[in-house]
Amino acid sequence: MIKLAIKSLLNRRASVLLTVIAIAVSVTLLLAVERTREQVQTNFANTVSGTDLIIGARTSQIQLLLSSVFHISSMINNMSWEAFDDIRSRPAVEWAVPISLGDSVGGLPVVATTEDYFKHFRYGSKQSLTFAAGDAFKGEKQVVLGAEAASKLNKKVGDNITIAHGSGGISFSEHDEHPLTVVGILKRTGTPVDQTILTSLTSLEVIHGGESHDKHDHGDSHAHPPAESISAALLGLKAKPLALRLQRQINTYKPEPLTALLPGMTLQELWKTLRVFEQALTVISSMVVLIGLLGMLTIMLASLRERRREMAVLRAVGAGPGTVFGLLVSEALLLTVVGAASGLALLYLLEWSLAGVIQSQTGIVLSFAWPTVAEWWRLGLVVITGFVLSLIPAWRAYRQSLADGLTVKV
């Protein structure tokens, strides 16, 4: 039956090819929605680990997370160094890393921080940052580049770069009088760190017209703070259960309005917020698949009149109405399976060809993984829907073969 169905389809190559292309493209769209959702969530979850709390000026927790960790959006207000100093000196805090944002180089974000960033920042399964070349900055006028930033800016250790005020690809002014020297390049992490330019807080202060404090960089920051204010801070606690208590204390901090968030819980809130959009995209892509399968149904129904002679010949050589029914079902199943498989292949082809562009533009690393359970379910539903729709032309062909059947009348 399958061999007969293949030969029958090959006799109608043009219409069959168009049907397979329509199904393949629609299946690619359906799978791309699921894969994008899964890849984005994985990348976001791997961006920061080992950080118990993130604190910043009063704002929504999602905005604070997106700006401080993913460098999406920007902070409207800063928190004072005095507030940061007070919080990091509390008994529950094991380490604290300040972060200052707002500048860029070639559209890539500048993150001003301290050397503690390289000691305590973790990503993935609590992996540390490692250097492909050079080392961490030790003082003023030095920068460390993420792997993607080094590649995009075409810089190596020893080169100079100029920071511009403004983020998100919009630069308001160039600080040409304060060039910074690249002293280190990080290994690729698959996180937004790859696209960042890291420098010291004191370097940023000098660039913005402050006094040079290079001699105090390794000294007592209580006596001479490296910055008047910061955008956010990453905190590591001595015990995980202390996180909720300290979060409440920071959220009710009296000297100035602050926000503290737990990264894992805030990510879950973000996915809940985006769930409506995910569902909408899934519904739209499912409708596109259904339209593709309805196109197959339309072509099969339209061809039945032309194929009445073919069916009559099959009956003449001994094929029963059940055989005709099975032939039409087999043809539709072959079209659906080949279309679904082609859609999966097209998805991998697009991933392979666009992976570099997507990573350079968004920082999201696409992994060429075997289809997930959810993707197999979607492929299965496509094939089942194709089978159900095939019953309509198969039943009509069955009825026609009964009416047109060549029977010997005695």
Side-chain angles (χ1 to χ4, degrees):
M1 184 64 69
I2 297 297
K3 289 182 180 179
L4 184 62
I6 292 173
K7 290 181 179 179
S8 178
L9 290 172
L10 289 175
N11 285 330
R12 306 189 309 279
R13 293 183 185 87
S15 61
V16 165
L17 181 61
L18 289 174
T19 303
V20 168
I21 290 174
I23 295 173
V25 171
S26 58
V27 167
T28 300
L29 178 61
L30 182 67
L31 296 178
V33 171
E34 170 61 24
R35 180 149 296 197
T36 301
R37 181 194 66 80
E38 188 268 334
Q39 296 271 12
V40 168
Q41 289 195 10
T42 300
N43 274 269
F44 270 55
N46 288 339
T47 296
V48 60
S49 64
T51 296
D52 298 310
L53 282 176
I54 299 174
I55 61 174
R58 180 62 52 83
T59 184
S60 73
Q61 294 191 0
I62 291 177
Q63 183 184 8
L64 177 57
L65 179 70
L66 291 178
S67 60
S68 63
V69 176
F70 302 102
H71 314 309
I72 301 171
S73 181
S74 58
M75 296 294 293
I76 299 174
N77 298 314
N78 283 354
M79 65 181 294
S80 67
W81 184 267
E82 289 76 13
F84 167 71
D85 207 22
D86 177 27
I87 291 168
R88 71 170 174 175
S89 63
R90 299 194 176 193
V93 179
E94 184 174 5
W95 56 264
V97 176
I99 291 173
S100 190
L101 307 167
D103 290 327
S104 64
V105 175
L108 299 171
V110 172
V111 177
T113 182
T114 64
E115 290 179 53
D116 287 340
Y117 185 91
F118 303 101
K119 298 176 185 176
H120 300 297
F121 185 87
R122 299 288 184 271
Y123 68 96
S125 301
K126 295 190 177 181
Q127 296 169 262
S128 303
L129 297 174
T130 53
F131 285 84
D135 205 348
F137 51 74
K138 302 297 182 184
E140 292 177 7
K141 299 184 179 180
Q142 296 180 347
V143 294
V144 170
L145 303 182
E148 190 66 31
S151 175
K152 192 170 182 179
L153 298 173
N154 193 26
K155 298 292 183 180
K156 61 183 184 298
V157 174
D159 290 347
N160 289 339
I161 64 172
T162 302
I163 288 179
H165 187 62
S167 58
I170 303 173
S171 300
F172 300 110
S173 61
E174 298 279 344
H175 301 292
D176 297 324
E177 68 277 13
H178 297 290
L180 304 179
T181 303
V182 178
V183 295
I185 296 174
L186 294 168
K187 289 184 179 178
R188 193 172 297 277
T189 65
T191 72
V193 173
D194 293 343
Q195 301 194 62
T196 58
I197 293 94
L198 295 154
T199 189
S200 67
L201 288 168
T202 51
S203 294
L204 208 62
E205 284 288 298
V206 171
I207 287 174
H208 290 160
E211 182 186 350
S212 176
H213 307 314
D214 199 27
K215 61 185 179 181
H216 300 284
D217 234 13
H218 306 286
D220 185 7
S221 61
H222 295 268
H224 208 132
E228 292 182 4
S229 63
I230 58 174
S231 302
L234 311 180
L235 302 184
L237 305 183
K238 295 176 181 176
K240 299 282 185 184
L242 299 173
L244 288 173
R245 183 192 302 172
L246 186 58
Q247 182 187 29
R248 283 194 300 270
Q249 293 174 0
I250 296 172
N251 285 335
T252 57
Y253 190 69
K254 291 183 179 180
E256 62 184 89
L258 299 177
T259 295
L261 65 87
L262 294 102
M265 291 181 64
T266 306
L267 271 179
Q268 292 302 315
E269 290 179 16
L270 177 61
W271 302 139
K272 288 179 183 177
T273 304
L274 298 177
R275 192 164 296 162
V276 174
F277 299 101
E278 293 174 8
Q279 292 171 346
L281 286 173
T282 300
V283 169
I284 293 171
S285 57
S286 299
M287 292 299 294
V288 172
V289 172
L290 184 59
I291 290 170
L293 293 174
L294 287 174
M296 176 189 72
L297 172 63
T298 303
I299 291 173
M300 294 187 72
L301 286 172
S303 67
L304 282 181
R305 184 179 295 276
E306 301 171 5
R307 299 180 65 186
R308 291 184 86 160
R309 180 178 177 82
E310 177 189 339
M311 302 304 170
V313 171
L314 287 173
R315 293 298 308 277
V317 297
T323 304
V324 174
F325 182 90
L327 174 63
L328 269 292
V329 171
S330 298
E331 287 181 7
L333 273 177
L334 277 172
L335 283 173
T336 307
V337 170
V338 171
S342 301
L344 182 61
L346 180 58
L347 176 68
Y348 281 110
L349 178 62
L350 290 173
E351 273 194 316
W352 175 78
S353 58
L354 298 177
V357 176
I358 291 173
Q359 182 175 344
S360 63
Q361 295 298 319
T362 66
I364 295 174
V365 179
L366 298 181
S367 58
F368 301 94
W370 191 249
T372 63
V373 173
E375 290 171 344
W376 281 122
W377 270 106
R378 293 187 178 206
L379 287 171
L381 286 172
V382 170
V383 174
I384 291 171
T385 304
F387 168 75
V388 171
L389 291 177
S390 73
L391 298 178
I392 299 173
W395 175 250
R396 289 194 63 177
Y398 176 83
R399 295 292 298 273
Q400 286 178 6
S401 67
L402 285 176
D404 300 341
L406 303 176
T407 57
V408 179
K409 296 183 179 179
V410 180

